[in-house]
Amino acid sequence: MEEMMTGDRFFGVGCLTPKVKDAKDANDWKKRVVYTFEAIPSVHNFALTEIDDLDFYWEGKIGQSGDEEIPLPELGLMTFDVNIPSRIQKQLGILPGIGDVEEFKVLTFFHYVHPITYIECKSPQGGEVSNPSSAMAIVRDFLVAELKKQQSDIELFMIGPSPFHADFSLRAGKGEMEVGDGFSVTVEKGLGYDNITYFHDPSHASISRAVLWQLYSAIQGEFSYFYRFQSLRNARLHAASNLSTQSEELAKLFKKRGFSSYLTRTATVRHKLQSAQLDAISARMAAMQHSRSTKEDMEGLYPKEGGSALKGYLERVTEEVYLEELEGAEKILEVLESRHSQEVQRFATITFSLLGVIVGAVLTAAFRSWWG
């Protein structure tokens, strides 16, 4: 029997899925995930639907060895209910709190672009829910703790920001911008999290869970691309941070005084410099590739000029390319490369001069000995 919902609905958005690193195929992934989640006492009505194939999601870092591909369902759904008592929520220490909500309904769409998770807050009184985005953090930290108790080899695959930095709700009425499928939306900007309120056709007397899931389906494409763009952005950030760290560590080596430090640099720093320079090239190439692919994706998502409540969020993620950080590290490496070349030349000059003196001394001694 379909559950009828007479009040407003509140939910958070993020990316939160089980990660089975060594899953052989979809059946192996499903078997192990079902076994693990059904062993958690607070989890109920766990179900996997239409999961037939696995795809691989990159969890690596630009320019680093050992990049990891995580097998996750290519398409399908994962749903379950979870009860997290208020006392447990307080122990988790998630702020801001979420009031008296203890029941959460979790739905993950496995999408070929990127997985996306919705968590509905089931208010016991059917009233307003404050900070519904916190549901994502509460459920996430609770599941991490439960998996740790089981000593499970299953982890959680998460992409930040999870939660998405907005509180979501679905209400009867009319919003400022049309979404389609009978939905509209109003966005209120906030200092921390925004409020994104979706509205459904007010001619409907009540809102069923099917309507809420219809909204989930209507907006999942944009959110899937948001988290894909976010994963690319995270890789760019890691690459820029890694390159900055390498350049700073190399600069420290060149600041060291003394003959032993000079010899160490001359003998060992070449490999480190080349490695950092290769990482810089990789980061540059990745940034250009990301720029091209995200531009194509955005044009496909938004073929016409005009509005979308979520378009601005996606654009901001794609614009975070960290070129200033890359350029700063590249300038440091350029200076260090020049200095290293000078030191190598000086070392070679000194070495050959010393060799000349030694050879000259040896020959002089030999001639003296020969001529008696």
Side-chain angles (χ1 to χ4, degrees), residues 296-307:
E296 292 172 359
D297 290 336
M298 289 292 289
E299 289 173 351
L301 269 175
Y302 307 108
K304 300 179 181 178
E305 291 293 332

Side-chain angles (χ1 to χ4, degrees), residues 25-101:
D25 52 34
N27 287 332
D28 181 46
W29 188 94
K30 288 189 290 186
K31 180 180 178 181
R32 293 163 67 178
V33 168
V34 169
Y35 176 84
T36 299
F37 275 75
E38 288 187 344
I40 300 174
S42 296
V43 170
H44 309 285
N45 305 317
F46 188 87
L48 298 173
T49 307
E50 298 181 354
I51 293 176
D52 300 316
D53 296 296
L54 296 182
D55 198 358
F56 290 89
Y57 289 80
W58 184 54
E59 200 181 41
K61 311 295 188 297
I62 295 172
Q64 300 297 296
S65 60
D67 294 342
E68 196 172 19
E69 288 186 323
I70 304 302
L72 292 174
E74 184 176 24
L75 295 170
L77 296 174
M78 178 181 73
T79 59
F80 62 90
D81 299 320
V82 59
N83 176 275
I84 307 176
S86 296
R87 61 179 177 81
I88 301 297
Q89 294 184 37
K90 290 179 181 178
Q91 292 173 11
L92 294 173
I94 302 299
L95 295 174
I98 203 166
D100 59 355
V101 176

